[in-house]
Amino acid sequence: MTSDIRAEIRNLVFGRDVEGLASRLPALTDAERAAVAAELPGLLAELRESPLPVAAVGWDAFGRTGDDQVAGWSELLMMVGAATVPGPAGAVTWLMKRDLNPRWAGAPDPRPLVRAVSGRPAAWRADLAVRLARRVRRPDDRVVPLALSLLRAAEAAPPDHEPLVAAWLSATTVDADPLTPHLLAKIFDAAGAGRALAGESLTPRPSHWLGLAARTLPREQVITGCVSRFLRGGDTQDLRFFVRLHTLVAPTPEESAVRLRDYLRLLPVAPGPVADLAWRQVCRARLDPADAAEAVEAMTFRQEAKLAVKGLTWLDRDLARHPERIADHVTALTNAYAHASHEVRDRAVTLTLKHADHLTDPAPILEGAELLPASSARPLLERFAEGWTSEFTPGRLPDVTVPGPFPVAGPQSGPPVETGWIEVEAWLAAVVREAHTNPDLLRETLARRFGEDLRPVLYDPPTWQSPRDWCTALARELVNPGEDPGPQGHRPSYRRPFAEERRAAPGLSGDLGQALYDGMLNLAATAFRLFPGLRTVVPLHELPDHVQEEFLRTVDAQAEPYEPDDPYDPEGRPASAPWNRLHVRGCARPHAFLLSRLDELLRAAKAGALPPVLLATPTRADGHLDPGTLLDRLAECADSGREPLALDVAQALLRLPPDPAPDLAERAKATAPAAAAVVARWFERGAPPPPEVELTWTLNLGSRVVPYDEHVLDQRGIANVSWKPVEPTGLDALDALLAPPGTRSFRHESRDFWPGMTPHHRELAAAHLAIGLIDRFDPPDVGIDDLRELARAEGPSGPATALVLAYFLTVQGDDAVPPLLLLAAGNALPAAETGRLLGLLGRRTRYEADSALPSLELAARQGAHAEVWTILRHFLAVFLPRTGERARRPHTDAVLLAIDVAMWTGARGEIPEVAAQAGKPGSTSLTRACRTLHQLLTGEV
């Protein structure tokens, strides 16, 4: 009989007969249950090893583990185990087995399983239901529907288990649920209950749980439960249901008065909806002066402008009846002075001035006024600060000084460590001079500083992009001429030569046949060297004797490569293939110019043609080259019989003052070198004019780039920098540097050199820095030091300088103020263009223009107030919202700063965009600020 029942249950399981099991399991006797339970481990093991059809899972079963194989029968096995395992604890352990509860599977249908255990005693089923309910951890646990169904079927009291409450609330609702009397009252204490009910709504009528709680639970319990839940804390989503439930029951003033202290505690720190609810209850109660002061102070402390305005509005009505109480609300007023909302600040100032006669101690008001913008603080200072004057005392702009002389250094300084452009230029000048006057001492000095250990790192790469590498190569060339073996890809493959000439395979003739034959031999030899087992598979003995011999020699030659004793000895190594480490593709034009100049120096050293002196070494620390010094160096080259290097001449010309100098031209013509004629023409004509930079805007749409539409507000704009080609100078290197590049460059490693390369051409250096600055890609590697160097340079400024300055005002803030002040001190600040571009960055790119406002205020206070007003005037014309656009807080912040700076500078003259905003109906913060600025600029009342 026992074997029959085991076979019967086994057949029902393998036949997937859920209904058959649900009907048969309750009728089992105790002996039959014990017999089936004893077979469960074996049945589980058998199912682990059995193949699982794809249809059993419903989707691809490939790649599953042994545990996954059981999942197809998990519901059947849960039914058998729950109905046959002797104790409730063991049954729960079986139901929770990991084999039966894979993460990817859905919850089992609880109805067959409840039927399967219906033959057990009621107390046993209740114990099973309670134990299983205690195992619930999350609302989405797989056993939640089963646990709830068992509790309902057994009519058992659910355990005191908080996750069960949230799971019950998240599950499908049941009419006349027997669990409701036990669990509904626990929603105020159970963690996760509020989040599970966050979707409940009051409109158009209360949803299920709101209506059920309001109808079922005692009114006092609901109010007390909601308030206690608020005091426990939580975010808006956790408390949303309780706010709506509290609103639904609508406490009376008497009920709210009992909990007044609790509502006051909620005002400063609770989430916005809770604080709003608490404020409504506080306003309905009778407040003594101390409670009123606490309530208003809490409301003005909050960051939500809506709540702070409510507090100030209530305070205004209260002071209308009791103006003498304003001293009790000074803290609330000063809290509002520091609020982020302009409306809150303005209301607080208006309220203070309205009841100023009742304030006996103005010290806290004056202290709080320091938190206000100058335009908002002004009426408070006029009213409460005795002897206060509105006169603005600006700081002093920095003095414009002539940079000091260019430092003189020896070959023992400078590279190979990372150094600035001044150190590199000084080192090059010292090395070139010493190579001419004292080469032996120079060789000793460089050998100590640039050791042989640098050679592998230096000579293996195919390109050099850092000026440091070129300087190191120059030093090593002077120490050991000809030691550079070339990049690894250009070095000969050092293999032992064959003693005999190879023979081509039959059917292959000529050079092509020999090349194919050699290639096949090398390929096969490489395979045999990498996979030695091929020797036992491939029948080499079947090949002709001469092929076997040549093949084995090729294998041996690959296994034992020939290396020279010293690859850096030019006498003991084979000649390398032609190579050049100068690769300027993708380089910015100034970077390519610098690398080409360093390559020229290295080639001259290899050819023994270094001049006695470098013409381009500056005479001033900003890169300026004195014309007289240049002519003296030309004469020195003439005396030595060496011609100056072409790119050295071009760099020297860029460092000369830009104005024509006919007298110096005559002196240059009297000098012998051919380069003197180039210098003379430069003196006669002067430097080319600065580039007329033009900025055009396009829009990055991901797959394509289109012209920017002025009527579309999109922050994917790209600023394209270009300029008209200048008149050719006759020097190819200079013409390339002065011409706009066709595409964006990605290599800017030497950008700190650029202002020193063009000390009198600030806009040219800025134009190359600005290329790709505002683009679809990440910004180029440009730092605040580059802006500082631009500010120290000379020459006119234009849109490129303005774009670089506007960019750093948005991303670096106060660090951009010193360069701005230096440009202003030198009358070189393109203020109007900077303001316009700052507005365009805020409208068309991902950069936030409002982050520049504190920096502009700092610059105005430090002496650049006139220039800052020009920036703001043009900034507002672009930045303020257009018709149909939504006003944001940065718009108001910009107008308020403009009001302050306009008062400091005494500015006059209408700004059409401000006038348009001021003429709009309504009383928003932006509209009120624009009206104030418009009245200030036009004198209208």
Side-chain angles (χ1 to χ4, degrees), residues 533-811:
L534 290 176
R535 296 176 182 266
T536 64
V537 179
V538 178
L540 290 177
H541 62 278
E542 297 181 2
L543 298 175
D545 293 341
H546 72 278
V547 176
Q548 292 185 45
E549 181 182 354
E550 291 182 359
F551 175 76
L552 293 176
R553 284 191 303 181
T554 304
V555 173
D556 294 338
Q558 289 187 356
E560 300 178 5
Y562 164 73
E563 297 288 349
D565 295 334
D566 184 3
Y568 304 107
D569 180 10
E571 301 297 332
R573 66 168 188 254
S576 302
W579 51 269
N580 187 357
R581 288 194 179 87
L582 178 65
H583 292 268
V584 297
R585 183 177 181 180
C587 294
R589 294 289 176 88
H591 184 56
F593 180 85
L594 174 64
L595 296 185
S596 300
R597 180 179 167 224
L598 294 172
D599 176 66
E600 179 186 63
L601 267 175
L602 180 59
R603 291 182 179 279
K606 290 180 178 181
L610 282 175
V613 64
L614 289 180
L615 302 184
T617 304
T619 55
R620 223 166 58 188
D622 62 346
H624 165 84
L625 175 59
D626 179 68
T629 303
L630 173 60
L631 294 177
D632 293 340
R633 293 171 181 171
L634 279 172
E636 186 174 350
C637 290
D639 294 341
S640 67
R642 295 284 180 89
E643 189 69 27
L645 303 178
L647 293 180
D648 187 38
V649 175
Q651 176 61 87
L653 297 179
L654 276 178
R655 286 174 168 156
L656 292 172
D659 298 329
D663 53 331
L664 295 175
E666 295 300 325
R667 182 180 166 187
K669 291 177 181 177
T671 308
V678 176
V679 175
R681 287 196 301 272
W682 187 275
F683 281 140
E684 289 176 345
R685 301 168 56 183
E692 298 180 7
V693 174
E694 179 182 0
L695 298 179
T696 57
W697 289 84
T698 52
L699 184 62
N700 171 30
L701 297 180
S703 61
R704 57 197 178 100
V705 176
V706 299
Y708 198 97
D709 187 348
E710 189 69 29
H711 303 289
V712 176
L713 188 61
D714 196 310
Q715 295 188 331
R716 294 176 293 174
I718 299 173
N720 304 283
V721 180
S722 61
W723 60 89
K724 298 178 180 178
V726 299
E727 183 180 352
T729 63
L731 302 174
D732 293 341
L734 272 187
D735 291 339
L737 182 61
L738 297 174
T743 58
R744 175 187 172 177
S745 55
F746 291 89
R747 307 201 69 95
H748 302 75
E749 284 85 344
S750 64
R751 66 183 190 281
D752 56 315
F753 284 67
W754 300 358
M757 292 165 57
T758 57
H760 301 286
H761 308 274
R762 178 191 286 119
E763 185 69 357
L764 178 62
H768 286 290
L769 283 174
I771 294 173
L773 190 64
I774 311 298
D775 206 334
R776 70 168 84 182
F777 309 104
D778 290 335
D781 188 16
V782 178
I784 190 65
D785 288 337
D786 302 313
L787 178 61
R788 296 189 182 107
E789 293 297 333
L790 276 183
R792 296 189 188 104
E794 297 180 359
S797 301
T801 306
L803 181 61
V804 176
L805 177 58
Y807 168 78
F808 281 108
L809 281 171
T810 63
V811 299

Side-chain angles (χ1 to χ4, degrees), residues 294-376:
E294 180 182 352
V296 177
E297 180 180 342
M299 294 295 278
T300 56
F301 175 77
R302 298 193 62 89
Q303 64 179 354
E304 298 95 332
K306 179 180 178 181
L307 296 179
V309 168
K310 286 184 177 182
L312 292 174
T313 303
W314 184 92
L315 177 59
D316 191 15
R317 291 197 300 265
D318 185 63
L319 290 178
R321 298 188 299 270
H322 307 285
E324 69 281 357
R325 293 183 181 176
I326 189 165
D328 299 334
H329 299 285
V330 169
T331 303
L333 293 172
T334 54
N335 281 348
Y337 294 165
H339 204 279
S341 168
H342 310 292
E343 182 181 4
V344 173
R345 296 199 300 260
D346 293 346
R347 282 178 178 266
V349 170
T350 301
L351 199 55
T352 305
L353 295 174
K354 184 177 180 180
H355 301 282
D357 294 339
H358 296 275
L359 283 170
T360 56
D361 183 13
I365 298 297
L366 293 175
E367 183 178 353
E370 296 178 1
L371 304 173
L372 289 164
S375 56
S376 300

